[in-house]
């Protein structure tokens, strides 16, 4: 394992099955079916990306994506984005509480959606101010900055934040 | 009470739209309907999208609606050239179809669709092996567990039917049904409440009579009414006191009877529920349902309903009297009432939201204390006191802010309410006083109006809170009824034969199991255990060992395949017959509050003391029990004598011995005890195992060596089986595990 800075020799590519293949340096051995993961998905999104083999052993920890070969960097970003789905909420239309359950009708950057939230604790605010809402199926929806929402949405969110 | 029933579309992905079904059906082949389907709800770009995948007739069809130019359909025959995989990500996963080593399709889906895709994958794999899409014994669509079929909404964890689709009025009626079981209490309580309310209405009226007809000089003055009126007042006061007592006492009793009925029914019903039910519902929730929710219903039945009914009666009664006396002034006086009710309603609502928020801030603050005090050594060691002080200051300031807001709200409400009601008083003064002066209005009526206007305070408050009170009661009632209505998931078939003896042959036939419907913790397990044999289960943790014994006890039913005992499917056994002949010695045996003797005899209530002592001897427990100052009468359990881990195990062995089971389930403790105790336990186990079919989760090398056969589980699959020597010779996973363990042993033996 190496914790590297810029490393132009490192390469990732896709094989015909669509799986990622990793090679640390031009002469090194290749590892198949690897995956990439963010270490700080909420606080330092574009730093500290871990490349892991299929048994979840770390092959390499990238402190930053800068300095990688353009194609490899594009592929890593594509993979990271494909694994993530936490739509940004742009407006809250209605929050209905009934029988301990909340139904949030929201608009997100990905489209309008209705969330069913089990517990008050599933709506939480990180220290950075970002609000995360977890729905019953385990999906995460986020509000990057509550202050940027319209007044009505803001008051609805604040009422349920705690 | 409002019954808002927002119409909602079904949860996306739970229903295959007709047009998609049509589009796919043609591609699955002649007369092959989609047997399993899933919705890929994420567009490759990260927006919500729509692509459907379905299997049927040994084919996989995908209809992709994400492209702008219209739907695209692709078909993949499910043969050996196809590989399917799910790449699980954080929030979004991918379903890949690889054909002849090349990526053919990739669909993105969110967490919501995870279960459906997992089922689709399993179905496709079954079809490609030439089996049926849906395994025998597997329901076609159990994955929709948490969603109401009618409205598509999530059903809360505590409910088994959708609460929104049940009429609230029906719940209240059902609750009233319990009240009707005690008719006397109900009628006496309610009757005296109504009578007391009617009496309440009289005093101002009497005052009017007294002033107008007795005190004021006029032509038809009736001074002889003076003492009868005073007497009537005294009688009213006296009778009211009695009625008040009757009302409170009878209704409080009624409430207690209702909660007692509900509590005992709920507890009795809980005993019938399967283990799966308990693992889904946290113990705390169940306890609160049996205690708190029923308590809340007591409050509602004993006081809530009556207050609301009385309030309405009072308002109507007063209005009737006032209108009969002076319609114009009555209208003026009543004007602020609806407004006051509305103000109260909104106040209650605002307070509820604010208090909830305050409560959350409060728990954030206490959280800091709870965090820092146990961790105080760390704080001091890293000299972070200042930081913790600042953290606490911040949280406390947040509590302060919200508390101030709460105080602002209620301190505004009370003056507002009194202002509104005083407006009534003011109206009476402004309207009536000048007229009294001109003799166009009677003084007595003026005083009567003033007397009534203050009686609005209480009813207004109750009517304003009514909505909230009903809502709480309905929720509690529903929670209790939901528990009472939950059908046991594992139950005895009505046709099952009773009183069958177990011989002890166990067979797993192609058994798969999953707790959550996504991850398979056991996969295609085939295993035959002959009667009287000892099977050792071993393998890395998370391999599925505990799940296997859970299935043998029929705490759960397999998702696929079947388990038989003596050739009969477990589901066809009488549950009581089955469990009474399976003995279980668990890793951390549970001792109930009670004496040692009671704990040993738990599974066999009629056991004699001789039998209990014999069982204790067989478990090598007799000597240490007699060593306790109170012997067999020693109290153990939560508040009793502390019993060491080794002693606990032997008590639990004694419990199993006494039951004389045909099949024994043994989950060896991992924690180490001293070697002498270890030997005693081993001896006891040896005695217990003799002549019984035993399935043991073994950690000790000695047990492993003694087993007739070892079964090694890894990631839900049966990877090796054979005797100790055979497996050592094969040099596989078991040999590896054994070596590590032996090394550890050697290390500690030094």
């Amino acid at each position: 394992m190496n914790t590297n800075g810029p490393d132009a020799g490192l390469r990732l590519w896709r094989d015909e099955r669509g799986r990622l293949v990793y090679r640390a340096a031009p002469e090194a051995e290749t590892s198949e079916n690897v995956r990439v993961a963010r270490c700080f998905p909420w606080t330092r999104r574009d730093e500290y990306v871990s490349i892991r083999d299929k048994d979840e052993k770390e092959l390499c920890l990238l402190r930053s994506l800068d300095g990688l070969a353009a194609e490899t960097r594009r592929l890593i970003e594509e993979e990271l984005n494909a694994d993530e789905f936490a739509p940004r909420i742009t407006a809250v239309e209605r929050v209905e509480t009934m029988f301990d359950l909340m139904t949030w009708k929201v608009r997100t950057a990905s489209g309008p959606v209705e969330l069913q939230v089990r517990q008050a604790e599933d709506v939480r605010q990180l220290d950075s101010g970002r609000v995360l809402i977890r729905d019953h199926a385990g999906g995460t929806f986020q509000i990057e900055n509550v202050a940027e929402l319209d007044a009505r949405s803001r008051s609805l969110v604040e009422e349920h934040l705690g | 009470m409002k019954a808002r029933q927002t119409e909602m579309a079904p949860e996306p992905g739970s229903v295959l739209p007709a047009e998609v079904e049509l589009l796919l059906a043609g591609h699955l082949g002649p007369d092959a309907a989609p047997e399993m389907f899933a919705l890929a709800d994420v567009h490759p770009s990260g927006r919500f999208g729509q692509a459907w995948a379905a299997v049927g007739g040994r084919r996989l069809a995908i209809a992709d609606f994400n492209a702008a130019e219209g739907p695209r359909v692709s078909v993949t025959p499910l043969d050996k050239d196809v590989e399917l995989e799910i790449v699980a990500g954080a929030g979004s996963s991918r379903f890949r179809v690889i054909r002849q080593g090349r990526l053919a399709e990739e669909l993105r889906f969110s967490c919501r669709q995870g279960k459906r895709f997992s089922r689709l994958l399993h179905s496709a794999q079954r079809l490609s092996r030439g089996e049926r899409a849906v395994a025998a014994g597997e329901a076609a669509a159990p994955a929709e567990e948490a969603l109401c079929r009618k409205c598509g909404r999530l059903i809360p964890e505590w409910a088994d039917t959708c609460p929104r689709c049940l009429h609230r009025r029906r719940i209240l009626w059902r609750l009233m049904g319990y009240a009707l079981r005690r008719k006397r209490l109900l009628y006496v309580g309610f009757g005296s409440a109504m009578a007391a309310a009617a009496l309440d209405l009289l005093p101002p009226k009497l005052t009017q009579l007294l002033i107008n007809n007795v005190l004021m000089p006029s032509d038809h003055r009736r001074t002889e009414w003076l003492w009868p009126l005073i007497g009537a007042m005294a009688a009213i006061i006296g009778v009211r006191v009695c009625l008040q007592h009757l009302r409170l006492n009878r209704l409080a009793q009624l409430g207690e009877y209702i909660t007692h009925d509900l509590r005992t029914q709920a507890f009795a019903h809980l005993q019938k529920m399967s283990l799966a039910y308990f693992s889904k519902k946290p113990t705390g929730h169940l306890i609160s349902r049996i205690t708190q929710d029923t308590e809340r219903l007591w409050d509602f039945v004993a006081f809530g309903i009556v207050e609301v009914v009385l309030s309405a009666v009072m308002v109507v009664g007063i209005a009737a009297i006032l209108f009969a006396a002076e319609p114009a002034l009555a209208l003026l006086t009543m004007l602020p009432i609806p407004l006051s009710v509305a103000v109260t309603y909104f106040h209650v609502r605002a307070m509820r939201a604010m208090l909830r928020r305050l409560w959350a801030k409060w728990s954030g603050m206490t959280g800091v204390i709870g965090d820092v005090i146990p961790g105080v050594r760390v704080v001091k060691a890293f000299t972070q006191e200042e930081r913790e002080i600042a953290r606490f200051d911040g949280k406390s300031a947040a509590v302060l802010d919200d508390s101030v807001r709460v105080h602002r709200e209620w301190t505004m409400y009370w003056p507002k309410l009194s202002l509104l009601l005083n407006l009534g008083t003011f109206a009476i003064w402004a309207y009536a006083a000048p007229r009294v002066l001109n003799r166009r209005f009677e003084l007595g009526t003026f005083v009567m109006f003033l007397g009534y206007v203050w009686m609005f305070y209480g009813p207004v408050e109750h009517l304003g809170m009514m909505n909230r009170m009903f809502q709480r009661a309905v929720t509690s009632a529903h929670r209790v009824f939901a528990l009472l209505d939950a059908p046991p998931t594992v139950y005895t078939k009505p046709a099952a034969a009773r009183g069958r003896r177990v011989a002890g042959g166990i067979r797993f036939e192609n058994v798969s199991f999953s707790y959550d419907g996504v991850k398979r913790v056991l996969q295609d397990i085939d295993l035959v255990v002959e009667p009287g044999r000892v099977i050792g289960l071993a393998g890395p943790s998370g391999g599925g060992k505990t799940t296997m014994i859970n299935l043998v006890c029929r705490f759960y039913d397999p998702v696929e395949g079947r388990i038989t005992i003596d050739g009969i499917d477990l589901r066809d056994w009488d549950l009581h017959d089955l469990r009474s002949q399976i003995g279980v010695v668990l890793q951390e045996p549970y001792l109930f509050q009670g004496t040692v003797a009671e704990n040993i005899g738990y599974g066999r209530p009629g056991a004699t003391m001789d039998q209990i002592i014999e069982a204790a001897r067989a478990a090598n427990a007799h000597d240490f029990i007699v060593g306790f100052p109170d012997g067999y009468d020693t109290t153990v359990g939560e508040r009793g004598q502390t019993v060491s881990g080794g002693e606990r195990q032997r008590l639990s062995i004694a419990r199993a011995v006494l039951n004389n089971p045909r099949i024994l389930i043994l989950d060896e403790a991992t924690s180490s005890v001293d070697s002498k105790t270890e030997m005693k336990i081993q001896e006891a186990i040896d005695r217990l195992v003799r002549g019984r079919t035993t399935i043991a989760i073994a950690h000790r090398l000695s047990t492993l060596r003694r087993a007739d056969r070892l079964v090694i589980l890894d990631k839900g699959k049966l990877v090796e089986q054979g005797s100790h020597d055979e497996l050592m010779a094969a040099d596989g996973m078991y040999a590896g595990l054994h070596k590590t363990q032996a090394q550890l042993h050697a290390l500690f033996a030094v």
Side-chain angles (χ1 to χ4, degrees):
Chain A
M1 191 200 98
N2 64 343
T3 304
N4 76 329
D7 190 345
L10 183 153
R11 264 203 71 205
L12 273 167
W13 67 94
R14 247 185 235 293
D15 66 10
E16 291 191 322
R17 286 179 155 77
R19 296 170 182 163
L20 287 188
V21 184
Y22 164 79
R23 194 178 61 200
E27 306 303 318
E29 264 181 60
T30 59
S31 310
E32 291 187 356
N33 205 3
V34 302
R35 73 174 194 104
V36 288
R38 287 196 166 104
C39 296
F40 301 93
W42 301 115
T43 45
R44 287 168 184 250
R45 290 180 58 74
D46 300 321
E47 298 165 55
Y48 299 98
V49 170
S50 174
I51 301 178
R52 322 178 67 77
D53 72 5
K54 59 180 188 297
D55 297 320
E56 281 299 305
K57 215 174 101 257
E58 184 165 273
L59 299 167
C60 169
L61 181 64
L62 300 168
R63 194 163 283 147
S64 135
L65 299 183
D66 297 337
L68 291 173
E71 181 59 10
T72 294
R73 178 177 180 151
R74 191 192 62 75
L75 195 59
I76 290 178
E77 283 171 348
E78 184 184 299
E79 266 310 281
L80 289 174
N81 291 334
D83 275 349
E84 269 179 2
F85 188 62
R88 278 202 328 279
I89 294 175
T90 52
V92 181
E93 285 172 11
R94 199 177 68 226
V95 181
E96 214 178 288
T97 307
M98 205 186 253
F99 295 114
D100 303 355
L101 284 176
M102 286 187 277
T103 305
W104 288 63
K105 203 167 155 55
V106 298
R107 288 201 296 273
T108 73
S110 303
V113 68
E114 211 163 68
L115 312 177
Q116 311 234 4
V117 181
R118 277 201 198 284
Q119 292 162 348
E121 293 89 82
D122 288 337
V123 180
R124 63 195 177 101
Q125 190 161 27
L126 304 180
D127 282 340
S128 62
R130 192 191 298 266
V131 172
L132 301 182
I133 304 178
R134 242 176 76 93
D135 79 346
H136 75 281
T140 303
F141 295 77
Q142 51 172 326
I143 303 169
E144 260 171 274
N145 186 353
V146 181
E148 281 173 11
L149 296 178
D150 60 283
R152 190 179 142 63
S153 303
R154 200 164 57 226
S155 89
L156 280 172
V157 172
E158 278 171 353
E159 185 184 321
H160 291 90
L161 256 188
Chain B
M1 193 174 72
K2 59 188 174 198
R4 181 157 53 182
Q5 213 103 20
T6 322
E7 280 305 317
M8 246 187 81
E11 169 97 352
S14 61
V15 178
L16 188 61
E19 69 270 20
V20 180
E21 185 167 358
L22 213 66
L23 191 63
L24 290 172
H27 291 83
L28 287 174
D31 52 66
E35 294 190 61
M36 197 68 85
F37 60 87
L39 166 67
D41 56 348
V42 184
H43 189 271
S45 72
R47 290 184 61 83
F48 285 111
Q50 194 189 167
W52 294 84
V55 295
R58 290 202 80 169
R59 288 179 189 196
L60 167 77
I62 289 172
D64 188 344
F65 294 87
N66 288 330
E69 57 270 21
R72 177 186 64 83
V73 178
S74 75
V75 178
T76 314
L78 294 170
D79 51 31
K80 57 182 190 316
D81 291 335
V82 172
E83 293 166 72
L84 300 172
E85 62 184 21
I86 288 176
V87 187
S92 140
S93 303
R94 283 169 285 173
F95 177 69
R96 275 192 194 141
V97 181
I98 299 160
R99 182 143 175 74
Q100 288 171 328
R102 281 175 174 279
L103 183 67
E105 292 282 349
E106 189 172 80
L107 300 177
R108 270 184 82 180
F109 58 93
S110 74
C111 300
R112 293 181 179 206
Q113 313 297 339
K115 275 187 194 176
R116 291 216 150 249
F117 265 101
S118 159
R119 283 167 61 81
L120 182 83
L121 181 74
H122 285 294
S123 285
Q125 284 166 347
R126 295 178 61 84
L127 283 171
S128 66
R129 290 197 300 259
E131 297 166 29
R132 290 176 41 210
V134 183
E138 184 183 20
E144 270 4 282
E145 81 305 304
L147 299 172
C148 174
R149 289 181 179 283
K150 228 152 119 196
C151 68
R153 282 167 185 260
L154 186 64
I155 298 175
E157 256 163 305
W158 45 264
D160 295 276
T161 50
C162 178
R164 289 175 209 79
C165 289
L166 255 182
H167 238 284
R168 292 174 163 211
R169 222 165 301 146
R170 210 176 301 156
I171 297 177
L172 284 178
W173 274 126
R174 190 165 164 192
L175 190 60
M176 287 302 117
Y178 284 84
L180 285 172
R181 291 185 189 179
R182 323 269 164 185
K183 286 205 176 65
R184 248 182 88 87
L185 287 177
L186 179 67
Y187 294 156
V188 172
F190 207 74
S192 43
M194 296 293 278
L199 285 184
D200 273 344
L201 290 178
L202 289 180
K205 186 76 195 162
L206 291 186
T207 313
Q208 183 204 25
L209 284 178
L210 185 71
I211 295 174
N212 283 355
N213 299 335
V214 182
L215 301 181
M216 288 295 285
S218 78
D219 308 338
H220 31 262
R221 200 167 168 183
R222 310 285 289 269
T223 39
E224 71 274 19
W225 282 13
L226 179 64
W227 286 105
L229 278 176
I230 294 176
M233 193 64 168
I236 287 172
I237 293 171
V239 172
R240 250 197 101 248
V241 169
C242 299
L243 288 175
Q244 194 104 45
H245 165 74
L246 268 183
R247 166 201 163 181
L248 292 175
N249 179 279
R250 294 303 186 272
L251 290 178
Q253 274 189 52
L254 177 68
E256 286 301 347
Y257 278 114
I258 294 176
T259 42
H260 169 73
D261 286 353
L262 285 170
R263 257 191 324 245
T264 46
Q265 257 190 15
F267 187 75
H269 191 79
L270 262 189
Q271 302 301 315
K272 287 189 222 142
M273 300 311 287
S274 69
L275 213 59
Y277 182 83
F278 289 98
S279 67
K280 265 196 301 186
K281 330 253 160 175
T283 316
H285 285 194
L286 292 174
I287 293 178
S288 86
R289 256 195 267 180
I290 296 179
T291 57
Q292 267 175 30
D293 282 325
T294 53
E295 192 65 31
R296 217 183 258 180
L297 290 177
W298 173 79
D299 194 46
F300 178 70
V301 171
F303 303 105
I305 299 179
V306 183
E307 294 288 8
V308 169
V309 173
L310 287 189
S311 301
V313 167
M314 286 285 264
V315 171
V316 172
I318 295 173
I321 295 174
L322 295 187
F323 274 98
E326 273 296 327
L329 182 55
L331 192 68
L332 222 55
T333 314
M334 302 284 289
L335 225 47
I337 303 296
L339 207 57
S340 317
V341 172
V343 165
T344 308
Y345 170 78
F346 286 112
H347 165 71
V348 170
R349 227 172 68 162
M351 277 299 268
R352 191 170 146 213
M354 284 180 167
L355 286 175
R356 194 165 52 197
R357 223 160 95 180
L358 176 61
W359 181 81
K361 297 261 164 73
W362 183 266
S363 70
M365 181 183 77
T366 50
V368 174
I369 310 177
D371 203 23
V372 167
I373 291 179
V376 69
R377 280 160 63 114
V378 181
V379 175
K380 288 198 182 301
F382 289 92
T383 58
Q384 294 298 312
E385 292 93 338
E386 291 304 323
R387 182 165 85 177
E388 294 303 338
I389 291 170
R391 190 152 76 108
F392 186 77
D393 276 359
K395 299 278 184 189
S396 179
V399 170
L400 177 71
D401 280 352
D402 271 24
S403 304
V404 168
R405 234 177 279 173
V406 166
H407 293 314
R408 195 182 303 148
E409 171 64 29
W410 73 261
T411 52
M412 286 284 283
Y413 165 72
W414 286 108
K416 244 192 285 183
L417 186 67
S418 100
L419 174 71
L420 280 170
L421 291 170
N422 275 312
L423 276 181
T425 314
F426 176 73
I428 296 169
W429 275 58
Y431 178 91
R435 286 176 173 79
V436 171
L437 199 65
N438 301 335
R439 310 236 165 228
R440 290 203 330 236
F441 200 93
E442 287 173 313
L443 178 63
T445 314
F446 171 59
V447 176
M448 178 184 80
F449 266 86
L450 288 179
Y452 280 127
V453 79
W454 293 109
M455 287 170 70
F456 283 127
Y457 255 119
V460 159
E461 213 188 316
H462 287 131
L463 292 175
M465 291 199 302
M466 182 177 77
N467 182 54
R468 162 125 193 267
M469 199 184 65
F470 269 87
Q471 209 164 329
R472 278 167 56 123
V474 168
T475 306
S476 283
H478 188 97
R479 273 206 267 224
V480 176
F481 293 148
L483 171 66
L484 289 177
D485 294 345
T489 39
V490 170
Y491 56 95
T492 304
K493 284 186 186 169
R498 270 157 232 276
R500 239 184 331 222
R501 287 280 299 155
V502 170
I506 306 173
R507 209 185 157 106
F508 279 67
E509 294 172 20
N510 202 17
V511 169
S512 295
F513 184 74
S514 163
Y515 288 99
D516 59 4
V518 176
K519 195 173 167 249
R520 303 243 155 169
V521 280
L522 283 183
Q523 221 167 348
D524 303 325
I525 302 287
D526 279 301
L527 178 68
V528 181
V529 186
E530 298 82 11
R533 289 305 173 91
V534 179
I535 298 294
L537 294 180
S541 63
K545 298 175 298 231
T546 308
T547 306
M548 269 188 80
I549 62 176
N550 279 343
L551 291 180
V552 173
C553 296
R554 210 183 157 212
F555 289 144
Y556 302 91
D557 282 333
V559 176
E560 278 178 37
R562 62 177 204 151
I563 302 170
T564 63
I565 288 187
D566 304 339
I568 300 163
D569 193 316
L570 278 188
R571 285 169 281 217
D572 294 326
W573 277 89
D574 178 80
L575 205 56
H576 178 77
D577 285 350
L578 184 72
R579 297 237 176 102
S580 65
Q581 296 181 68
I582 296 180
V584 185
V585 178
L586 294 178
Q587 218 181 74
E588 276 169 23
Y590 191 81
L591 298 180
F592 288 98
Q593 185 79 35
T595 67
V596 169
E598 283 164 358
N599 264 290
I600 295 176
Y602 186 77
R604 200 170 149 189
T608 64
M609 288 307 138
D610 283 341
Q611 288 168 327
I612 285 175
I613 292 176
E614 200 188 318
R617 274 191 207 282
N620 274 344
H622 179 70
D623 289 331
F624 79 77
I625 295 171
V626 176
F628 290 152
D630 294 336
Y632 279 86
D633 293 328
T634 306
T635 309
V636 292
E638 222 173 297
R639 287 190 299 271
Q641 160 105 22
T642 25
V643 182
S644 75
E647 290 166 350
R648 217 169 248 273
Q649 269 177 46
R650 279 177 281 169
L651 286 180
S652 125
I653 292 172
R655 202 188 261 168
V657 170
L658 186 65
N659 237 12
N660 193 19
R662 298 302 310 145
I663 293 174
L664 188 68
I665 305 287
L666 211 60
D667 192 353
E668 259 186 13
T670 33
S671 55
S672 50
V673 287
D674 63 88
S675 45
K676 216 167 127 191
T677 314
E678 165 88 32
M679 227 174 65
K680 292 234 154 118
I681 296 174
Q682 277 309 318
E683 251 177 50
I685 289 179
D686 280 347
R687 253 178 246 144
L688 182 60
V689 161
R690 216 165 290 151
R692 297 188 168 104
T693 311
T694 304
I695 297 186
I697 297 184
H699 303 289
R700 298 187 181 93
L701 295 175
S702 50
T703 320
L704 290 170
R705 281 212 194 89
R706 209 176 29 227
D708 294 315
R709 190 147 41 99
L710 293 169
V711 170
I712 316 300
L713 290 172
D714 183 32
K715 292 178 191 146
K717 294 204 170 112
L718 200 162
V719 288
E720 290 171 27
Q721 62 173 312
S723 69
H724 171 78
D725 296 332
E726 285 166 11
L727 291 183
M728 288 306 281
D731 200 24
M733 176 173 252
Y734 174 72
L737 285 171
H738 188 269
K739 265 173 225 151
T740 336
Q741 183 123 40
Q743 275 163 7
L744 268 174
H745 237 265
L747 217 61
F748 284 114
V750 173

